[in-house]
Amino acid sequence: MSTTTTTDARGKAPAGERVADWADGRLGIYSLAKANLRKVFPDHPSFMLGEICLYSFIIIILTGVYLTLFFHPSMNEVEYTGSYVPLQGQLMSEAFNSTMHISFDVRGGLLIRQIHHWAALVFLAGMFVHMMRVFFTGAFRKPREINWVFGFLLFVLGMFTGFTGYSLPDDLLSGTGVRFMEGAVLSVPIVGTYLSFFLFGGEFPGGDFVARFFAVHVLLLPGIMLGLVVAHLILVFYHKHTQFAGPGRTNNNVVGMPLMPVYMAKAGGFFFLVFGVIAVIAALVQINPIWSLGPYRPDQVSTGAQPDWYMGFSEGLIRAMPGWEIDFAGHTLVLGVFIPLMIFPLVLVAIAVYPFIESWVTGDKREHHILDRPRNAPTRTAVGVAWITWYCVMLIGGGNDLFATHFHLSINAVTWFVRIAFFVAPVIAFVVTKRICLGLQRRDRDKVLHGRESGIIKRLPHGEFIEIHEPLSQEQLHTLTAHEQYEPVEIGPKVDEHGVERKIPASEKLRAKLSKNYYGEGHQIPKPTVEEFKEITSGHGHH
């Protein structure tokens, strides 16, 4: 490739061009930029959820670096001499003392602390909603299964990064949360005590856990998350972006705006908008006021202690579980803690592998770049709503004491409600959601065949009153009929070609049963055929 270089009066190229040529000769920037800067991104509001996650992660990193300059991750005991008078003369750890120093004596320290904490909550909330958008629209299908796993890992690592982060100040609330975790670790049969001693450097609370959590929170987990973010974005570029069905949109193209300059300008403005909103929230809404809680003491527990919302699911499982204990082979098994401790990762694993389960059920190995409308995948949508309902029930369980005090209820009544709803509420949510989706499919079918209700009432010569229906545009017809409908997988003949009964594997039977529940009769409404549409619109039965 030859390039034309402009020169000045002395025969030299401008300095900027010389630097660009030097960099291109060593990094291949020109060809890389030419191939990617005009990449097209679809323009839909729901795609901004991923950007909120990315921008809040950047804000977390920036504010975290600032806080690290002033924080001392040590549990050595010191006397507080800072500017907050009520705690002067109190003994506390260096971690708590330095957090108080950041909050009251470092210029802008409290604002940065609150931005850091709120950005973490926004990041995880954004991840949750973003993953639900991906789930309900089927954006996890081939070739994006690995990217779904990357996003899932980011969410899980974000949960544990948040937990280690709010444990660092060593205040009474975070110390109560760490004690809760220590009890969960101790419930692990046989090795629980060893794990606890290894984690805390001795008997709880030990003298090392703040320093260890600090290393995990600042170095290990953010490093892994940064790598996953980069890998996630690379795969988004490589696979191209998904898009909703519409005229001119196929699996082989993307309709939208180019990365440069349109999308980058919008993304840059959106970053500052996200940063501004988080900063305003941090400035106006107080979070984690450690000075009103005081330093952690093992003999005290803060009243109304609650984890951040993303850990409420795990705490709800343990609070709702009966306090069962059994003796086995000379060991006491605390099932009231250990069983919820096993349920939690099993639920997470089920979320991570769902794309592979659906691919196995459908037998679909094709690439998908067009998104589903949630109503057109009723079983998948019902599963997602059932899981969210389950999560909300456990969130209530994690705050059963606050629900009891704020609504003047018995804490036993709240706990029993959670225990019953744990099994009943997801089933109800599944059934109701599926019926709603099927009803919406029927409505779409009716609109395609009969048109849109105009609100205009007409009286026929024989006295009948009817409503005039307006035909849909081609774009609307395309949107309502673009989705695919799978045929359920059949087990096949039960005898082979020789008349001998064939042994059908259990996995094949399970796949056929699941496939029938996903795509069988009564689980999806057939799309109107071309013949039906022509017959209706030709005048027979059409108003």
Side-chain angles (χ1 to χ4, degrees):
M1 177 186 296
S2 61
T3 58
T4 303
T5 304
T6 59
T7 60
D8 57 19
R10 295 171 294 178
K12 290 186 177 180
E17 289 193 23
R18 293 203 302 272
V19 172
D21 288 341
W22 182 90
D24 182 52
R26 290 154 180 80
L27 302 175
I29 293 176
Y30 176 79
S31 57
L32 185 67
K34 185 178 180 181
N36 294 298
L37 289 184
R38 299 297 293 175
K39 187 176 182 66
V40 175
F41 282 82
D43 192 12
H44 193 275
S46 66
F47 298 142
M48 300 171 76
L49 293 168
E51 294 181 43
I52 293 175
C53 302
L54 176 63
Y55 301 154
S56 55
F57 182 72
I58 294 172
I59 295 167
I60 293 169
I61 297 296
L62 294 175
T63 53
V65 170
Y66 183 82
L67 295 174
T68 303
L69 301 176
F70 304 99
F71 182 72
H72 301 290
S74 170
M75 296 182 69
N76 294 332
E77 201 169 57
V78 296
E79 181 180 336
Y80 180 69
T81 58
S83 58
Y84 186 70
V85 176
L87 287 180
Q88 286 180 357
Q90 294 286 321
L91 294 178
M92 57 186 63
S93 66
E94 283 192 56
F96 188 91
N97 183 61
S98 63
T99 308
M100 291 291 295
H101 176 70
I102 291 171
S103 301
F104 288 95
D105 301 306
V106 174
R107 186 179 296 274
L110 180 58
L111 178 62
I112 298 298
R113 256 196 73 215
Q114 299 217 147
I115 289 176
H116 187 73
H117 201 146
W118 276 113
L121 294 179
V122 170
F123 171 76
L124 285 161
M127 284 293 301
F128 184 87
V129 180
H130 178 57
M131 290 185 69
M132 288 299 98
R133 197 276 299 173
V134 171
F135 180 87
F136 287 126
T137 60
F140 54 77
R141 293 173 295 176
K142 183 182 178 180
R144 296 175 181 84
E145 302 99 328
I146 301 301
N147 227 8
W148 167 267
V149 175
F150 284 170
F152 163 80
L153 291 175
L154 276 170
F155 181 70
V156 174
L157 291 176
M159 291 169 56
F160 288 101
T161 305
F163 174 77
T164 55
Y166 72 65
S167 300
L168 291 180
D170 198 29
D171 60 284
L172 189 57
L173 179 62
S174 67
T176 302
V178 175
R179 175 193 282 184
F180 176 88
M181 185 199 70
E182 189 248 358
V185 172
L186 285 175
S187 72
V188 179
I190 303 175
V191 298
T193 306
Y194 300 99
L195 290 174
S196 176
F197 270 66
F198 173 78
L199 186 63
F200 294 100
E203 190 73 36
F204 178 83
D208 298 326
F209 89 83
V210 169
R212 293 180 180 184
F213 277 27
F214 180 76
V216 171
H217 179 73
V218 174
L219 295 175
L220 179 61
L221 294 180
I224 298 174
M225 292 177 68
L226 188 60
L228 287 172
V229 167
V230 172
H232 187 78
L233 294 176
I234 289 173
L235 287 180
V236 168
F237 263 79
Y238 178 71
H239 291 143
K240 75 182 181 182
H241 215 295
T242 54
Q243 57 187 344
F244 285 97
R249 299 173 184 177
T250 69
N251 273 318
N252 301 318
N253 69 353
V254 179
V255 178
M257 298 294 182
L259 177 64
M260 284 292 288
V262 179
Y263 192 81
M264 286 300 293
K266 293 171 65 176
F270 191 48
F271 169 76
F272 289 107
L273 181 62
V274 172
F275 204 150
V277 170
I278 292 176
V280 169
I281 294 173
L284 298 178
V285 184
Q286 180 175 270
I287 191 169
N288 198 20
I290 63 167
W291 51 88
S292 65
L293 300 167
Y296 177 65
R297 288 173 53 107
D299 60 338
Q300 296 180 357
V301 175
S302 59
T303 303
Q306 302 295 316
D308 282 334
W309 69 270
Y310 49 86
M311 297 300 290
F313 180 80
S314 58
E315 178 146 343
L317 285 170
I318 292 180
R319 290 196 187 192
M321 183 72 186
W324 294 343
E325 288 186 3
I326 62 172
D327 291 325
F328 178 77
H331 296 277
T332 300
L333 302 183
V334 188
L335 300 182
V337 179
F338 182 65
I339 290 178
L341 195 65
M342 292 295 100
I343 292 176
F344 185 55
L346 288 176
V347 171
L348 295 178
V349 169
I351 296 171
V353 302
Y354 182 85
F356 305 98
I357 294 174
E358 184 170 311
S359 175
W360 173 67
V361 170
T362 61
D364 187 3
K365 304 302 180 183
R366 297 169 301 162
E367 290 192 2
H368 292 273
H369 303 290
I370 300 295
L371 298 174
D372 287 333
R373 299 171 77 205
R375 66 184 64 181
N376 294 327
T379 302
R380 180 205 299 152
T381 302
V383 168
V385 173
W387 184 86
I388 293 173
T389 303
W390 198 34
Y391 191 96
C392 292
V393 168
M394 289 298 98
L395 208 56
I396 295 173
N400 58 356
D401 53 343
L402 291 183
F403 277 93
T405 55
H406 281 65
F407 294 100
H408 307 290
L409 301 170
S410 164
I411 192 170
N412 290 328
V414 176
T415 301
W416 273 105
F417 166 79
V418 171
R419 289 174 178 173
I420 296 171
F422 178 85
F423 298 99
V424 176
V427 176
I428 295 175
F430 180 90
V431 173
V432 171
T433 303
K434 193 164 184 177
R435 289 182 65 87
I436 290 173
C437 289
L438 292 174
L440 291 173
Q441 283 191 32
R442 292 188 185 95
R443 177 63 180 145
D444 286 347
R445 175 184 171 87
D446 184 66
K447 286 174 70 175
V448 169
L449 293 177
H450 299 284
R452 183 179 63 85
E453 295 175 354
S454 65
I456 301 173
I457 305 299
K458 181 179 179 181
R459 184 179 183 181
L460 299 181
H462 60 275
E464 179 186 1
F465 288 92
I466 63 170
E467 183 177 12
I468 301 298
H469 285 224
E470 296 178 351
L472 300 180
S473 66
Q474 289 299 314
E475 181 177 354
Q476 291 172 320
L477 287 172
H478 185 279
T479 300
L480 296 181
T481 58
H483 60 283
E484 298 181 66
Q485 291 191 317
Y486 295 95
E487 293 293 330
V489 175
E490 301 291 342
I491 293 180
K494 295 184 178 181
V495 296
D496 60 19
E497 62 274 13
H498 303 292
V500 179
E501 185 175 354
R502 185 170 63 93
K503 185 177 180 180
I504 303 173
S507 59
E508 190 175 341
K509 293 180 180 179
L510 176 62
R511 182 190 176 196
K513 189 171 183 179
L514 289 174
S515 181
K516 184 178 180 181
N517 287 327
Y518 265 73
Y519 309 112
E521 185 178 355
H523 298 279
Q524 61 180 352
I525 305 302
K527 292 193 298 183
T529 63
V530 176
E531 291 74 19
E532 287 177 308
F533 181 76
K534 288 181 178 179
E535 181 182 356
I536 292 289
T537 55
S538 64
H540 302 291
H542 182 64
H543 296 150

